[in-house]
Each structure stands twice: as structure tokens, then as C-alpha cells.
Short mmCIF file of all heavy atoms in Angstrom, two decimals:
data_model
loop_
_atom_site.label_atom_id
_atom_site.label_comp_id
_atom_site.label_asym_id
_atom_site.label_seq_id
_atom_site.Cartn_x
_atom_site.Cartn_y
_atom_site.Cartn_z
N MET A 1 4.83 25.31 -25.95
CA MET A 1 5.48 26.32 -25.12
C MET A 1 6.05 27.41 -26.03
O MET A 1 6.66 27.14 -27.05
CB MET A 1 6.60 25.68 -24.30
CG MET A 1 7.28 26.67 -23.39
SD MET A 1 8.27 25.94 -22.07
CE MET A 1 9.63 25.27 -22.95
N THR A 2 5.86 28.65 -25.66
CA THR A 2 6.33 29.80 -26.41
C THR A 2 7.81 30.04 -26.13
O THR A 2 8.24 30.01 -24.99
CB THR A 2 5.53 31.05 -26.02
OG1 THR A 2 4.15 30.82 -26.27
CG2 THR A 2 5.99 32.27 -26.79
N SER A 3 8.57 30.29 -27.20
CA SER A 3 9.99 30.62 -27.02
C SER A 3 10.13 32.09 -26.64
O SER A 3 9.21 32.89 -26.84
CB SER A 3 10.77 30.35 -28.31
OG SER A 3 10.45 31.31 -29.30
N THR A 4 11.28 32.44 -26.12
CA THR A 4 11.56 33.84 -25.78
C THR A 4 11.42 34.71 -27.02
O THR A 4 10.81 35.78 -26.98
CB THR A 4 12.97 33.97 -25.19
OG1 THR A 4 13.07 33.13 -24.04
CG2 THR A 4 13.26 35.40 -24.78
N TRP A 5 11.98 34.24 -28.15
CA TRP A 5 11.91 35.01 -29.39
C TRP A 5 10.46 35.24 -29.81
O TRP A 5 10.08 36.36 -30.16
CB TRP A 5 12.67 34.31 -30.52
CG TRP A 5 12.67 35.14 -31.77
CD1 TRP A 5 13.55 36.11 -32.11
CD2 TRP A 5 11.69 35.09 -32.82
NE1 TRP A 5 13.19 36.67 -33.31
CE2 TRP A 5 12.04 36.06 -33.78
CE3 TRP A 5 10.55 34.32 -33.04
CZ2 TRP A 5 11.31 36.27 -34.93
CZ3 TRP A 5 9.82 34.54 -34.21
CH2 TRP A 5 10.21 35.51 -35.13
N GLU A 6 9.64 34.19 -29.77
CA GLU A 6 8.23 34.33 -30.16
C GLU A 6 7.50 35.32 -29.26
O GLU A 6 6.72 36.15 -29.75
CB GLU A 6 7.53 32.97 -30.11
CG GLU A 6 7.99 32.01 -31.17
CD GLU A 6 7.48 30.59 -30.94
OE1 GLU A 6 7.34 30.17 -29.77
OE2 GLU A 6 7.22 29.91 -31.94
N LEU A 7 7.76 35.26 -27.97
CA LEU A 7 7.12 36.16 -27.02
C LEU A 7 7.49 37.61 -27.32
O LEU A 7 6.62 38.47 -27.48
CB LEU A 7 7.52 35.80 -25.59
CG LEU A 7 7.02 36.73 -24.50
CD1 LEU A 7 5.54 36.48 -24.26
CD2 LEU A 7 7.81 36.55 -23.24
N VAL A 8 8.78 37.88 -27.42
CA VAL A 8 9.26 39.24 -27.65
C VAL A 8 8.85 39.74 -29.04
O VAL A 8 8.40 40.87 -29.19
CB VAL A 8 10.78 39.34 -27.43
CG1 VAL A 8 11.31 40.72 -27.82
CG2 VAL A 8 11.14 39.02 -25.98
N HIS A 9 8.98 38.88 -30.04
CA HIS A 9 8.62 39.26 -31.41
C HIS A 9 7.16 39.71 -31.49
O HIS A 9 6.85 40.73 -32.14
CB HIS A 9 8.88 38.10 -32.37
CG HIS A 9 8.55 38.41 -33.78
ND1 HIS A 9 9.32 39.23 -34.57
CD2 HIS A 9 7.51 38.01 -34.56
CE1 HIS A 9 8.77 39.33 -35.76
NE2 HIS A 9 7.67 38.59 -35.79
N GLY A 10 6.28 38.99 -30.84
CA GLY A 10 4.86 39.37 -30.84
C GLY A 10 4.64 40.74 -30.23
O GLY A 10 3.86 41.55 -30.75
N HIS A 11 5.33 41.02 -29.14
CA HIS A 11 5.19 42.33 -28.50
C HIS A 11 5.78 43.45 -29.36
O HIS A 11 5.21 44.54 -29.43
CB HIS A 11 5.85 42.32 -27.12
CG HIS A 11 5.08 41.54 -26.11
ND1 HIS A 11 3.87 41.97 -25.58
CD2 HIS A 11 5.33 40.35 -25.53
CE1 HIS A 11 3.42 41.08 -24.72
NE2 HIS A 11 4.29 40.07 -24.67
N VAL A 12 6.90 43.16 -30.00
CA VAL A 12 7.52 44.16 -30.88
C VAL A 12 6.61 44.47 -32.05
O VAL A 12 6.41 45.64 -32.41
CB VAL A 12 8.93 43.71 -31.34
CG1 VAL A 12 9.46 44.63 -32.44
CG2 VAL A 12 9.89 43.67 -30.16
N GLU A 13 6.05 43.45 -32.67
CA GLU A 13 5.13 43.67 -33.79
C GLU A 13 3.92 44.49 -33.35
O GLU A 13 3.47 45.39 -34.07
CB GLU A 13 4.69 42.34 -34.41
CG GLU A 13 5.80 41.64 -35.17
CD GLU A 13 6.37 42.47 -36.30
OE1 GLU A 13 5.59 43.01 -37.10
OE2 GLU A 13 7.61 42.60 -36.36
N ALA A 14 3.40 44.21 -32.17
CA ALA A 14 2.27 44.98 -31.64
C ALA A 14 2.68 46.42 -31.37
O ALA A 14 1.92 47.36 -31.67
CB ALA A 14 1.73 44.32 -30.38
N ALA A 15 3.87 46.61 -30.83
CA ALA A 15 4.36 47.97 -30.56
C ALA A 15 4.54 48.74 -31.87
O ALA A 15 4.20 49.94 -31.94
CB ALA A 15 5.68 47.92 -29.79
N LEU A 16 5.05 48.07 -32.90
CA LEU A 16 5.21 48.74 -34.19
C LEU A 16 3.86 49.13 -34.79
O LEU A 16 3.70 50.21 -35.37
CB LEU A 16 5.99 47.85 -35.16
CG LEU A 16 7.48 47.73 -34.88
CD1 LEU A 16 8.09 46.60 -35.72
CD2 LEU A 16 8.19 49.05 -35.14
N ALA A 17 2.87 48.26 -34.64
CA ALA A 17 1.53 48.58 -35.14
C ALA A 17 0.93 49.76 -34.37
O ALA A 17 0.36 50.68 -34.97
CB ALA A 17 0.62 47.35 -35.03
N ASP A 18 1.09 49.75 -33.05
CA ASP A 18 0.61 50.88 -32.23
C ASP A 18 1.32 52.16 -32.63
O ASP A 18 0.70 53.23 -32.70
CB ASP A 18 0.84 50.61 -30.74
CG ASP A 18 -0.07 49.55 -30.17
OD1 ASP A 18 -1.07 49.18 -30.84
OD2 ASP A 18 0.22 49.06 -29.06
N ALA A 19 2.63 52.07 -32.85
CA ALA A 19 3.42 53.24 -33.23
C ALA A 19 2.94 53.81 -34.56
O ALA A 19 2.83 55.04 -34.72
CB ALA A 19 4.90 52.88 -33.29
N THR A 20 2.67 52.95 -35.51
CA THR A 20 2.17 53.40 -36.81
C THR A 20 0.88 54.18 -36.64
O THR A 20 0.71 55.26 -37.22
CB THR A 20 1.96 52.20 -37.75
OG1 THR A 20 3.23 51.57 -37.99
CG2 THR A 20 1.35 52.63 -39.08
N ARG A 21 -0.03 53.65 -35.82
CA ARG A 21 -1.30 54.35 -35.58
C ARG A 21 -1.08 55.70 -34.88
O ARG A 21 -1.87 56.62 -35.05
CB ARG A 21 -2.24 53.48 -34.75
CG ARG A 21 -2.82 52.32 -35.55
CD ARG A 21 -3.91 51.59 -34.79
NE ARG A 21 -3.42 50.82 -33.66
CZ ARG A 21 -2.89 49.60 -33.74
NH1 ARG A 21 -2.78 49.01 -34.91
NH2 ARG A 21 -2.48 48.97 -32.66
N ALA A 22 0.01 55.81 -34.11
CA ALA A 22 0.31 57.05 -33.39
C ALA A 22 1.29 57.94 -34.15
O ALA A 22 1.80 58.91 -33.59
CB ALA A 22 0.87 56.72 -32.01
N SER A 23 1.56 57.60 -35.41
CA SER A 23 2.50 58.35 -36.25
C SER A 23 3.91 58.42 -35.65
O SER A 23 4.59 59.44 -35.75
CB SER A 23 1.97 59.76 -36.52
OG SER A 23 0.75 59.70 -37.22
N ILE A 24 4.32 57.33 -35.03
CA ILE A 24 5.68 57.21 -34.49
C ILE A 24 6.45 56.31 -35.45
O ILE A 24 5.96 55.24 -35.84
CB ILE A 24 5.66 56.62 -33.07
CG1 ILE A 24 4.88 57.55 -32.13
CG2 ILE A 24 7.07 56.36 -32.56
CD1 ILE A 24 4.60 56.95 -30.77
N THR A 25 7.64 56.73 -35.81
CA THR A 25 8.42 55.99 -36.80
C THR A 25 8.99 54.69 -36.22
O THR A 25 9.26 54.61 -35.01
CB THR A 25 9.59 56.82 -37.34
OG1 THR A 25 10.53 57.05 -36.27
CG2 THR A 25 9.12 58.15 -37.92
N PRO A 26 9.20 53.71 -37.09
CA PRO A 26 9.86 52.47 -36.64
C PRO A 26 11.24 52.74 -36.05
O PRO A 26 11.66 52.07 -35.11
CB PRO A 26 9.95 51.63 -37.91
CG PRO A 26 8.84 52.13 -38.78
CD PRO A 26 8.75 53.60 -38.49
N ASP A 27 11.96 53.75 -36.60
CA ASP A 27 13.28 54.10 -36.06
C ASP A 27 13.19 54.53 -34.60
O ASP A 27 14.04 54.16 -33.78
CB ASP A 27 13.92 55.23 -36.87
CG ASP A 27 14.33 54.81 -38.25
OD1 ASP A 27 13.94 53.71 -38.70
OD2 ASP A 27 15.06 55.59 -38.89
N ALA A 28 12.18 55.33 -34.29
CA ALA A 28 12.00 55.80 -32.91
C ALA A 28 11.68 54.62 -31.99
O ALA A 28 12.19 54.55 -30.86
CB ALA A 28 10.90 56.85 -32.84
N VAL A 29 10.86 53.69 -32.47
CA VAL A 29 10.54 52.50 -31.68
C VAL A 29 11.81 51.68 -31.44
O VAL A 29 12.09 51.26 -30.31
CB VAL A 29 9.46 51.64 -32.38
CG1 VAL A 29 9.24 50.32 -31.64
CG2 VAL A 29 8.15 52.41 -32.50
N ALA A 30 12.60 51.48 -32.49
CA ALA A 30 13.83 50.68 -32.37
C ALA A 30 14.80 51.32 -31.38
O ALA A 30 15.39 50.63 -30.54
CB ALA A 30 14.49 50.52 -33.73
N SER A 31 14.98 52.63 -31.45
CA SER A 31 15.88 53.31 -30.51
C SER A 31 15.41 53.15 -29.07
O SER A 31 16.21 52.92 -28.16
CB SER A 31 15.98 54.81 -30.85
OG SER A 31 16.71 54.99 -32.03
N THR A 32 14.12 53.25 -28.88
CA THR A 32 13.56 53.09 -27.53
C THR A 32 13.72 51.65 -27.05
O THR A 32 14.04 51.40 -25.88
CB THR A 32 12.09 53.52 -27.51
OG1 THR A 32 12.00 54.87 -27.97
CG2 THR A 32 11.50 53.42 -26.11
N LEU A 33 13.54 50.69 -27.96
CA LEU A 33 13.73 49.28 -27.59
C LEU A 33 15.19 49.02 -27.17
O LEU A 33 15.43 48.29 -26.20
CB LEU A 33 13.35 48.37 -28.74
CG LEU A 33 11.85 48.22 -29.01
CD1 LEU A 33 11.62 47.51 -30.33
CD2 LEU A 33 11.17 47.48 -27.87
N ILE A 34 16.13 49.61 -27.89
CA ILE A 34 17.54 49.45 -27.51
C ILE A 34 17.77 50.02 -26.11
O ILE A 34 18.41 49.38 -25.27
CB ILE A 34 18.46 50.11 -28.55
CG1 ILE A 34 18.42 49.34 -29.86
CG2 ILE A 34 19.90 50.21 -28.02
CD1 ILE A 34 19.10 50.05 -31.02
N SER A 35 17.24 51.22 -25.86
CA SER A 35 17.39 51.84 -24.54
C SER A 35 16.80 50.98 -23.45
O SER A 35 17.40 50.80 -22.37
CB SER A 35 16.74 53.22 -24.51
OG SER A 35 17.39 54.09 -25.40
N GLU A 36 15.63 50.43 -23.71
CA GLU A 36 14.98 49.56 -22.71
C GLU A 36 15.75 48.26 -22.52
O GLU A 36 15.87 47.77 -21.39
CB GLU A 36 13.53 49.27 -23.11
CG GLU A 36 12.60 50.45 -22.85
CD GLU A 36 12.55 50.80 -21.37
OE1 GLU A 36 12.06 49.99 -20.56
OE2 GLU A 36 13.02 51.90 -21.03
N ALA A 37 16.28 47.70 -23.60
CA ALA A 37 17.08 46.48 -23.48
C ALA A 37 18.32 46.73 -22.63
O ALA A 37 18.66 45.92 -21.75
CB ALA A 37 17.48 45.97 -24.87
N VAL A 38 18.97 47.86 -22.84
CA VAL A 38 20.16 48.20 -22.03
C VAL A 38 19.75 48.37 -20.57
O VAL A 38 20.44 47.88 -19.67
CB VAL A 38 20.85 49.46 -22.58
CG1 VAL A 38 21.90 49.99 -21.61
CG2 VAL A 38 21.48 49.17 -23.94
N ARG A 39 18.64 49.02 -20.33
CA ARG A 39 18.17 49.20 -18.94
C ARG A 39 17.95 47.85 -18.26
O ARG A 39 18.37 47.62 -17.12
CB ARG A 39 16.86 50.01 -18.92
CG ARG A 39 16.30 50.23 -17.51
CD ARG A 39 14.93 50.91 -17.56
NE ARG A 39 13.91 50.11 -18.23
CZ ARG A 39 13.24 49.11 -17.67
NH1 ARG A 39 13.50 48.73 -16.42
NH2 ARG A 39 12.32 48.44 -18.35
N ILE A 40 17.31 46.92 -18.98
CA ILE A 40 17.06 45.59 -18.42
C ILE A 40 18.37 44.86 -18.17
O ILE A 40 18.57 44.28 -17.09
CB ILE A 40 16.15 44.77 -19.35
CG1 ILE A 40 14.74 45.39 -19.40
CG2 ILE A 40 16.07 43.31 -18.90
CD1 ILE A 40 13.88 44.87 -20.54
N LEU A 41 19.25 44.87 -19.15
CA LEU A 41 20.54 44.18 -19.00
C LEU A 41 21.34 44.73 -17.83
O LEU A 41 21.96 43.97 -17.07
CB LEU A 41 21.36 44.27 -20.29
CG LEU A 41 20.85 43.43 -21.46
CD1 LEU A 41 21.58 43.82 -22.75
CD2 LEU A 41 21.03 41.95 -21.18
N LYS A 42 21.35 46.06 -17.68
CA LYS A 42 22.10 46.68 -16.58
C LYS A 42 21.59 46.23 -15.22
O LYS A 42 22.34 46.20 -14.24
CB LYS A 42 22.04 48.20 -16.68
CG LYS A 42 22.96 48.77 -17.74
CD LYS A 42 22.78 50.26 -17.96
CE LYS A 42 22.90 51.08 -16.72
NZ LYS A 42 22.78 52.53 -16.98
N GLY A 43 20.32 45.85 -15.16
CA GLY A 43 19.75 45.40 -13.90
C GLY A 43 20.14 43.97 -13.53
O GLY A 43 19.92 43.55 -12.39
N HIS A 44 20.73 43.23 -14.48
CA HIS A 44 21.02 41.82 -14.25
C HIS A 44 22.44 41.40 -14.60
O HIS A 44 22.80 40.25 -14.35
CB HIS A 44 20.04 40.95 -15.05
CG HIS A 44 18.61 41.22 -14.70
ND1 HIS A 44 18.00 40.65 -13.61
CD2 HIS A 44 17.69 42.02 -15.27
CE1 HIS A 44 16.76 41.08 -13.53
NE2 HIS A 44 16.55 41.92 -14.53
N ARG A 45 23.19 42.29 -15.23
CA ARG A 45 24.54 41.95 -15.68
C ARG A 45 25.51 43.07 -15.35
O ARG A 45 25.11 44.20 -15.10
CB ARG A 45 24.56 41.72 -17.19
CG ARG A 45 23.71 40.56 -17.65
CD ARG A 45 23.96 40.35 -19.12
NE ARG A 45 23.09 39.33 -19.67
CZ ARG A 45 23.12 38.97 -20.94
NH1 ARG A 45 23.98 39.52 -21.78
NH2 ARG A 45 22.31 38.05 -21.39
N THR A 46 26.79 42.73 -15.40
CA THR A 46 27.80 43.76 -15.18
C THR A 46 27.87 44.67 -16.40
O THR A 46 27.45 44.29 -17.50
CB THR A 46 29.19 43.13 -14.98
OG1 THR A 46 29.60 42.50 -16.20
CG2 THR A 46 29.19 42.11 -13.83
N LEU A 47 28.43 45.86 -16.21
CA LEU A 47 28.57 46.78 -17.34
C LEU A 47 29.46 46.19 -18.43
O LEU A 47 29.19 46.38 -19.62
CB LEU A 47 29.12 48.13 -16.86
CG LEU A 47 28.17 48.96 -16.01
CD1 LEU A 47 28.84 50.27 -15.60
CD2 LEU A 47 26.87 49.24 -16.74
N ASP A 48 30.51 45.48 -18.04
CA ASP A 48 31.37 44.84 -19.04
C ASP A 48 30.60 43.81 -19.85
O ASP A 48 30.81 43.68 -21.06
CB ASP A 48 32.59 44.19 -18.38
CG ASP A 48 33.65 45.21 -17.98
OD1 ASP A 48 33.63 46.35 -18.51
OD2 ASP A 48 34.50 44.87 -17.15
N ASP A 49 29.71 43.08 -19.20
CA ASP A 49 28.91 42.08 -19.90
C ASP A 49 27.92 42.75 -20.86
O ASP A 49 27.73 42.29 -21.99
CB ASP A 49 28.18 41.18 -18.90
CG ASP A 49 27.63 39.92 -19.54
OD1 ASP A 49 28.21 39.46 -20.54
OD2 ASP A 49 26.62 39.41 -19.03
N VAL A 50 27.30 43.84 -20.42
CA VAL A 50 26.39 44.59 -21.28
C VAL A 50 27.15 45.14 -22.48
O VAL A 50 26.70 45.04 -23.63
CB VAL A 50 25.69 45.74 -20.51
CG1 VAL A 50 24.87 46.62 -21.46
CG2 VAL A 50 24.81 45.19 -19.40
N ARG A 51 28.33 45.69 -22.21
CA ARG A 51 29.16 46.22 -23.29
C ARG A 51 29.51 45.13 -24.29
O ARG A 51 29.44 45.33 -25.51
CB ARG A 51 30.43 46.84 -22.70
CG ARG A 51 31.28 47.59 -23.69
CD ARG A 51 32.48 48.26 -23.01
NE ARG A 51 32.05 49.32 -22.11
CZ ARG A 51 32.14 49.28 -20.77
NH1 ARG A 51 32.65 48.22 -20.17
NH2 ARG A 51 31.72 50.28 -20.04
N ALA A 52 29.86 43.95 -23.81
CA ALA A 52 30.21 42.83 -24.68
C ALA A 52 29.00 42.40 -25.52
O ALA A 52 29.14 42.09 -26.71
CB ALA A 52 30.74 41.65 -23.86
N GLU A 53 27.83 42.38 -24.93
CA GLU A 53 26.60 42.03 -25.65
C GLU A 53 26.34 43.02 -26.78
O GLU A 53 26.03 42.62 -27.92
CB GLU A 53 25.41 42.01 -24.68
CG GLU A 53 24.11 41.60 -25.28
CD GLU A 53 23.89 40.10 -25.25
OE1 GLU A 53 24.47 39.42 -24.40
OE2 GLU A 53 23.12 39.63 -26.11
N LEU A 54 26.48 44.31 -26.48
CA LEU A 54 26.26 45.33 -27.49
C LEU A 54 27.34 45.28 -28.58
O LEU A 54 27.04 45.44 -29.76
CB LEU A 54 26.22 46.71 -26.84
CG LEU A 54 25.03 46.95 -25.91
CD1 LEU A 54 25.21 48.25 -25.15
CD2 LEU A 54 23.72 46.94 -26.68
N GLN A 55 28.58 45.04 -28.17
CA GLN A 55 29.67 44.95 -29.13
C GLN A 55 29.46 43.77 -30.07
O GLN A 55 29.69 43.88 -31.28
CB GLN A 55 31.02 44.81 -28.42
CG GLN A 55 32.21 44.91 -29.35
CD GLN A 55 32.30 46.27 -30.04
OE1 GLN A 55 32.11 47.31 -29.44
NE2 GLN A 55 32.56 46.23 -31.33
N PHE A 56 28.99 42.65 -29.55
CA PHE A 56 28.69 41.50 -30.38
C PHE A 56 27.63 41.85 -31.42
O PHE A 56 27.75 41.51 -32.60
CB PHE A 56 28.23 40.32 -29.52
CG PHE A 56 27.85 39.11 -30.33
CD1 PHE A 56 28.81 38.23 -30.79
CD2 PHE A 56 26.52 38.86 -30.64
CE1 PHE A 56 28.47 37.12 -31.55
CE2 PHE A 56 26.16 37.75 -31.40
CZ PHE A 56 27.14 36.88 -31.85
N ALA A 57 26.58 42.56 -30.98
CA ALA A 57 25.52 42.97 -31.91
C ALA A 57 26.07 43.90 -32.98
O ALA A 57 25.75 43.76 -34.17
CB ALA A 57 24.38 43.64 -31.15
N ILE A 58 26.92 44.83 -32.59
CA ILE A 58 27.52 45.77 -33.54
C ILE A 58 28.38 45.03 -34.56
O ILE A 58 28.30 45.30 -35.76
CB ILE A 58 28.35 46.84 -32.79
CG1 ILE A 58 27.43 47.78 -32.02
CG2 ILE A 58 29.26 47.60 -33.75
CD1 ILE A 58 28.14 48.63 -30.99
N GLU A 59 29.18 44.11 -34.08
CA GLU A 59 30.09 43.38 -34.98
C GLU A 59 29.35 42.46 -35.94
O GLU A 59 29.91 42.04 -36.95
CB GLU A 59 31.10 42.58 -34.16
CG GLU A 59 32.11 43.47 -33.46
CD GLU A 59 32.99 42.72 -32.48
OE1 GLU A 59 32.83 41.49 -32.31
OE2 GLU A 59 33.83 43.39 -31.84
N ASN A 60 28.10 42.16 -35.64
CA ASN A 60 27.32 41.25 -36.49
C ASN A 60 26.16 41.96 -37.19
O ASN A 60 25.18 41.32 -37.58
CB ASN A 60 26.82 40.07 -35.66
CG ASN A 60 27.96 39.17 -35.27
OD1 ASN A 60 28.46 38.41 -36.08
ND2 ASN A 60 28.42 39.28 -34.03
N LEU A 61 26.27 43.27 -37.37
CA LEU A 61 25.23 44.02 -38.06
C LEU A 61 25.13 43.62 -39.53
O LEU A 61 24.04 43.54 -40.09
CB LEU A 61 25.51 45.52 -37.98
CG LEU A 61 25.18 46.18 -36.65
CD1 LEU A 61 25.68 47.63 -36.65
CD2 LEU A 61 23.70 46.13 -36.35
N GLN A 62 26.26 43.36 -40.15
CA GLN A 62 26.27 43.00 -41.56
C GLN A 62 26.00 41.52 -41.71
O GLN A 62 26.61 40.69 -41.04
CB GLN A 62 27.63 43.33 -42.17
CG GLN A 62 27.71 43.09 -43.65
CD GLN A 62 29.07 43.50 -44.22
OE1 GLN A 62 30.00 43.74 -43.48
NE2 GLN A 62 29.15 43.56 -45.52
N ASP A 63 25.04 41.19 -42.57
CA ASP A 63 24.77 39.78 -42.85
C ASP A 63 25.99 39.18 -43.54
O ASP A 63 26.55 39.77 -44.45
CB ASP A 63 23.54 39.62 -43.75
CG ASP A 63 22.26 40.00 -43.04
OD1 ASP A 63 22.22 39.89 -41.80
OD2 ASP A 63 21.31 40.41 -43.72
N ARG A 64 26.39 38.02 -43.10
CA ARG A 64 27.57 37.36 -43.66
C ARG A 64 27.21 35.95 -44.06
O ARG A 64 26.35 35.32 -43.49
CB ARG A 64 28.70 37.34 -42.63
CG ARG A 64 29.17 38.71 -42.24
CD ARG A 64 30.29 38.61 -41.27
NE ARG A 64 30.68 39.97 -40.85
CZ ARG A 64 31.24 40.24 -39.72
NH1 ARG A 64 31.52 39.28 -38.88
NH2 ARG A 64 31.56 41.47 -39.41
N ASP A 65 27.94 35.44 -45.02
CA ASP A 65 27.78 34.09 -45.48
C ASP A 65 28.88 33.25 -44.83
O ASP A 65 30.03 33.29 -45.25
CB ASP A 65 27.87 34.01 -47.00
CG ASP A 65 27.60 32.62 -47.54
OD1 ASP A 65 27.07 31.79 -46.78
OD2 ASP A 65 27.93 32.37 -48.70
N TYR A 66 28.53 32.53 -43.78
CA TYR A 66 29.51 31.72 -43.07
C TYR A 66 29.57 30.33 -43.70
O TYR A 66 28.74 29.47 -43.39
CB TYR A 66 29.15 31.61 -41.59
CG TYR A 66 29.25 32.93 -40.84
CD1 TYR A 66 28.11 33.66 -40.49
CD2 TYR A 66 30.48 33.45 -40.50
CE1 TYR A 66 28.21 34.86 -39.83
CE2 TYR A 66 30.60 34.65 -39.81
CZ TYR A 66 29.45 35.35 -39.47
OH TYR A 66 29.56 36.54 -38.81
N GLU A 67 30.55 30.12 -44.56
CA GLU A 67 30.66 28.84 -45.26
C GLU A 67 30.81 27.68 -44.31
O GLU A 67 30.28 26.59 -44.54
CB GLU A 67 31.85 28.87 -46.23
CG GLU A 67 31.62 29.78 -47.41
CD GLU A 67 32.76 29.74 -48.40
OE1 GLU A 67 33.50 28.74 -48.42
OE2 GLU A 67 32.90 30.71 -49.16
N PHE A 68 31.52 27.88 -43.20
CA PHE A 68 31.76 26.78 -42.27
C PHE A 68 30.48 26.32 -41.59
O PHE A 68 30.45 25.23 -41.00
CB PHE A 68 32.81 27.16 -41.24
CG PHE A 68 32.37 28.25 -40.29
CD1 PHE A 68 31.70 27.94 -39.11
CD2 PHE A 68 32.62 29.59 -40.58
CE1 PHE A 68 31.30 28.93 -38.24
CE2 PHE A 68 32.23 30.60 -39.71
CZ PHE A 68 31.57 30.26 -38.54
N MET A 69 29.40 27.08 -41.68
CA MET A 69 28.15 26.70 -41.02
C MET A 69 27.21 25.96 -41.97
O MET A 69 26.15 25.51 -41.56
CB MET A 69 27.44 27.95 -40.48
CG MET A 69 28.20 28.64 -39.37
SD MET A 69 27.33 30.10 -38.85
CE MET A 69 26.87 29.61 -37.20
N ARG A 70 27.59 25.84 -43.23
CA ARG A 70 26.74 25.15 -44.18
C ARG A 70 26.81 23.64 -43.95
O ARG A 70 27.85 23.11 -43.59
CB ARG A 70 27.21 25.44 -45.61
CG ARG A 70 26.92 26.85 -46.03
CD ARG A 70 27.24 27.02 -47.49
NE ARG A 70 27.19 28.43 -47.83
CZ ARG A 70 27.91 28.98 -48.78
NH1 ARG A 70 28.73 28.26 -49.50
NH2 ARG A 70 27.80 30.26 -49.03
N PRO A 71 25.67 22.95 -44.19
CA PRO A 71 25.69 21.47 -44.03
C PRO A 71 26.49 20.79 -45.13
O PRO A 71 26.77 21.30 -46.14
CB PRO A 71 24.22 21.08 -44.14
CG PRO A 71 23.51 22.26 -44.69
CD PRO A 71 24.39 23.46 -44.52
#
């Protein structure tokens, strides 16, 4: 069974390949993906929930070494 991540990742990789062939930058693809993700979330969640989801992503942009998560 395919996971959600595997499904979406495959489509994103294909979109990036298509974009390269069309001379569209990865940055432009990423911005459009964010816009589309927000559109989808708004259709199924409250604005506060969408805001919280985006805030979580923003707060975790920097890779961190979480010692408490080590085995």
C-alpha cells in the first residue's frame, strides 16, 4: 500500500521534472504548491487550524538536533 508521502512525493518529483522542461524554476513550483496546499486545507479545516499548520511549518524550517528523540 502506498503512503500519503510516497503518493505526493511522486507527483511533486514529476511536477519538478515537467517544470524543468518548461523552464519553470523549482521556487515557482514550490510557491504554487504552497498556494494549492492552503486552498485544499481551507476546504476542509478552519482558518485557525490552517494558520496553526502553517505556523508549525514555519517554526520548524530550521533543522534541529533533538537530543531527547535519540535512542
